[in-house]
Amino acid sequence: MRAAVKRLAARFFEGAIVTFARFVCAPRVMLDEPLDAGPSRVFIANHGSNADTILIWAALPPEMRRSLRPVAAADYWLTSRFRAFIGRDVFRILPVERDPEARTGDPIADMASALEAGHSLILFPEGRRNPGPERLLPFKTGIYHLSQARPGTEFVPIWIDNLNGVLPRGELVPVPLICTLRFGAALVLERDEDKAAFLARAEAAVLALAPDAPAEDTPQEVAHGA
Amino acid sequence: MALELALLFGGLFLVLIVASVVTDYIAPRIDAETLANLRDRLRAWWAMIGILAVAFLLGRAGLIILFAFCSFAVLREFFTLVDRTRADHYALFGSFALALPIQYAAIWIEWYGFYSIYIPVYAFLLAPVLSVLRGQTEGFLARVSQVQWGLMIAVFCISHVPALLSLDIPGFEGRQILLVAFLLLVVQSSDVLQYVWGKTLGRTKLAPQVSPSKTWEGLIGGVLSASVIGALLHGLTPFGPVAAFGMAFLAAIMGAFGGLVLSAIKRDRGVKDWGHGIAGHGGFLDRLDGVAFAAPVFFHLTRYAWTP
């Protein structure tokens, strides 16, 4: 009974958050390659706003959203009962301890087993929010270690555009603006690729999706009810 | 009135059915991309006319809510493309949170003396104040002008469509909703007919730097044939057939200018469409550019000449 109420409440919050995010951001999803339900994979995106996770999560079609687990800080999400409910039951986050000194578990192993279980992950390899003005901070090594722990893992780069305009850092109220999410082609760690080369390739793949990056060809667009 | 609306929407749905059948018939002879776009556009027309039919069925409230939503969507598209900095955050926020709802509330209570000057006077002056308080002067005039333009086009101009409902025209009481239908029909059919005339007879480019596909033949043919449609539909209006032709001509020509001006803005901003809200058409403003330019002029001329 309690579990059923909780599930119902989670569905309600999911609907409310998705509706609000789409109302404010009218997210436009652009795909360089068709994005099928496919295998579990890791979405890697630039990180300029606190709302990045919510936007990716809300922009994806429901069947993909259900298998998605945003990787998020345990010390933020699991502190109060309400936050824990939103984090665990609505966003279905994969909590990680940020402080390497204090942590007990192994985040890379947790991510690998979530992927094995058929979930997809959202990761921000910059490791923290980018305050600008650089377009992208150097990537942390986590994605490389994850590739080693689980060879063949697909990383799908995403560029999130304009969300910073909706809610600039430090502002209290959002301004409705159209945000664009451009998804690139998946990349996989190659057999004899070293850490630096893989991270550089991943950074380049994310940056190449930015609107003023030199475009190769126009990506196809998916329509969805916004 | 209910009969006129039923006939009007019946007619529109009939046109859509014919257009869908014709599209299927010519499908083998056109290239895949054009066909996909044509089908997207048609599907969007079905949806738009369907939504309009529901709004008309709900009457005044339905139309005011529908156009308030259109204003919101257009404002969001417009502000997405303007030059803005952190300093403009409150001017932008105030446009959505204050200017838009206040304008539509004034339309709702039919306060003509307020809704006809609120944006050009009060919002015009307050928006730059909100920006200047944040103290950044770089590009100031350009930034505040763009906010003001967004408010004028998206909120002020578009709100003059439902404002037609508040006109008290002797002998036309309770039928103002038909005037809204007349304006929308004339402007949108002029747009479609300009495309058709342009595709079939277009030779002389109108403004190749702004909009390479627009031609003088398309403009003249489209505007005149939309004016003829307007004359034929004079029964929906308080105008006689000749005046209906004139008013339709005015709405159609303003609509054509609106399309041109807003195309120039798109070109300046380096985009092809205002947004992606309406498949095949682009954004809401791509569909409402003509309506935005036509509505206030149509409104004021009707008010000047037909109300006491």
Side-chain angles (χ1 to χ4, degrees), chain B residues 289-305:
Chain B
D289 49 7
V291 173
F293 264 57
V297 177
F298 183 83
F299 172 90
H300 282 289
L301 199 65
T302 307
R303 186 172 179 280
Y304 175 72

Side-chain angles (χ1 to χ4, degrees), chain A residues 7 23 25 115-116 134 153 189 223:
Chain A
R7 250 203 323 277
F23 180 71
C25 303
L115 289 166
E116 277 315 314
E134 303 93 342
T153 297
L189 178 69

Side-chain angles (χ1 to χ4, degrees), chain B residues 35-293:
Chain B
L35 183 68
N37 181 264
L38 200 60
R39 286 198 199 279
D40 275 347
R41 276 173 180 266
L42 259 176
R43 211 171 299 132
W45 276 118
W46 277 101
M48 287 187 283
I49 291 176
I51 289 168
L52 266 178
V54 173
F56 273 92
L57 209 63
L58 296 173
R60 220 174 86 82
L63 282 173
I64 292 178
I65 292 167
L66 176 66
F67 280 92
F69 175 77
C70 288
S71 280
F72 171 81
V74 168
L75 196 61
R76 184 171 57 188
E77 289 171 357
F78 200 96
F79 283 169
T80 299
L81 292 183
V82 302
D83 298 312
R84 58 195 136 67
T85 67
R86 276 290 292 277
D88 303 313
H89 197 72
Y90 282 97
L92 300 174
F93 179 74
S95 304
F96 285 102
L98 290 173
L100 193 154
I102 290 175
Q103 175 73 1
Y104 276 90
I107 301 263
W108 184 280
I109 62 170
E110 308 194 340
W111 186 5
Y112 170 77
F114 188 72
Y115 69 65
S116 57
I117 58 142
Y118 165 60
I119 304 263
V121 177
Y122 297 97
F124 177 85
L125 296 174
L126 189 63
V129 171
L130 289 176
S131 283
V132 83
L133 287 176
R134 301 281 292 262
Q136 200 187 45
T137 52
E138 204 185 315
F140 187 74
L141 181 58
R143 279 162 35 215
V144 298
S145 309
Q146 290 174 16
V147 171
Q148 289 161 336
W149 250 80
L151 281 171
M152 281 302 286
I153 294 291
V155 184
F156 181 81
C157 290
I158 289 177
S159 75
H160 278 68
V161 177
L164 287 168
L165 300 173
S166 64
L167 288 178
D168 281 322
I169 303 166
F172 197 64
E173 291 84 1
R175 290 159 56 85
Q176 292 95 330
I177 204 166
L178 297 175
L179 214 48
V180 174
F182 178 82
L183 172 67
L184 295 177
L185 195 88
V186 165
V187 176
Q188 300 295 1
S189 61
S190 153
D191 208 44
V192 173
L193 290 165
Q194 283 177 53
Y195 175 83
V196 173
W197 282 97
K199 279 272 170 208
T200 48
L201 290 178
R203 299 271 181 282
T204 330
K205 298 254 187 265
L206 179 62
Q209 266 143 27
V210 180
S211 194
S213 62
K214 289 203 172 89
T215 60
W216 278 104
E217 291 82 357
L219 177 78
I220 295 166
V223 167
L224 285 181
S225 41
S227 310
V228 170
I229 291 177
L232 294 173
L233 291 174
H234 71 92
L236 296 177
T237 70
F239 323 134
V242 177
F245 180 90
M247 291 299 283
F249 180 80
L250 182 81
I253 197 93
M254 283 309 295
F257 291 156
L260 218 49
V261 169
L262 288 160
S263 287
I265 297 178
K266 280 190 288 191
R267 195 135 283 238
D268 172 44
R269 304 277 96 185
V271 294
K272 210 175 117 297
D273 293 319
W274 281 102
H276 61 107
I278 309 175
H281 297 258
F284 283 81
L285 189 46
D286 291 290
R287 202 59 271 148
L288 289 168
D289 49 7
V291 173
F293 264 57

